[in-house]
Amino acid sequence: MSQAQLDALLALFRKYPFDPAVGEGPRRRLMDRMGEVFAPPPQVAVEPVALGGVPAERLTASADGPALLYLHGGGYVTGSVASHRHLGGLLAAEMQGTVHVLDYRLAPEAPFPAPLDDAVAAWRALAAERGGRPAGIAGDSAGGGLAFATALRCRAAGLPMPNCIVGLSPWVNLGTESESYDKLGPLDPTLSREAAAWYADRYLAGADPRDPMASPLFADLAGLPPVLIQVGDREVFFGDAASMHQSLLAAGVEARLSVWQRMFHAWHLSWPQLDEGRAALAEAAAFIRESLSA
């Protein structure tokens, strides 16, 4: 690890503490600026597509390699293909395959379960396009929780299941009761109990935060495919991510929990500036390749 890299990022994040008075529009514009600052690797082709009627971008390093549906983070309120193009592009390069970054609808204009409906429609279309060849689902933060919920909805509907699930700092419990919010909040420069509640309120729009389609931590997880969860040891989602891993194991699911020391929430997005971001995505890509070739 480069301590200078980490210190510079932490200083930058702490210059912009969470302000509940800032609305959805400015937050979206700020997050989408990542698409202006960071680019996918040059060998990755970028193509706008639609999956099940939902806009997306196909990021291709090798059309013959593994395929992935990627669900971006942003608390179900922010995030887009622009904010996550560089992340999906590096995953595609590391996988030597294709990543489809989905531009699902956002809350509060389209609250729960609209993003889940979009993700299921996109997965159904990708599975049909693959014609039985294996494919996986991944996502960071809210997109990580959405990846689990998508697989659970597919299981319930008898749809084709993904061959693996990857959750990067996944948001699997929209409640904020975990003690990690208290113990790790001061160490996580990007997320807090107040921020998580702000995003959850807009997504749920009065729905029960313990609904397993919103908070898959409370779901029956039996029958899910192999899972990789990556979480930083200094992020407020640590406790819920660890509990999700335990619940997956208890349900008989093959699951790995990869804990990254000194990492904050969704450090993967900072891969152009942080060696650990690139290394974590390389680990995720290796898991995906392994799972899809099994």
Side-chain angles (χ1 to χ4, degrees), residues 40-129:
Q43 70 269 32
V44 174
V46 181
E47 176 190 7
V49 295
L51 288 173
V54 184
E57 278 189 353
R58 178 182 289 132
L59 307 172
T60 305
S62 171
D64 298 324
L68 187 74
L69 177 64
Y70 193 87
L71 306 172
H72 68 76
Y76 298 104
V77 174
T78 68
S80 68
V81 294
S83 64
H84 282 66
R85 185 178 295 122
H86 70 293
L87 190 159
L90 183 60
L91 258 183
E94 292 286 348
M95 287 166 45
Q96 278 301 292
T98 303
V99 173
H100 301 77
V101 180
L102 192 68
D103 223 0
Y104 58 83
R105 290 172 290 169
L106 299 175
E109 298 90 341
F112 174 75
L116 176 57
D117 292 340
D118 287 354
V120 172
W123 171 254
R124 186 200 294 258
L126 179 60
E129 182 181 299

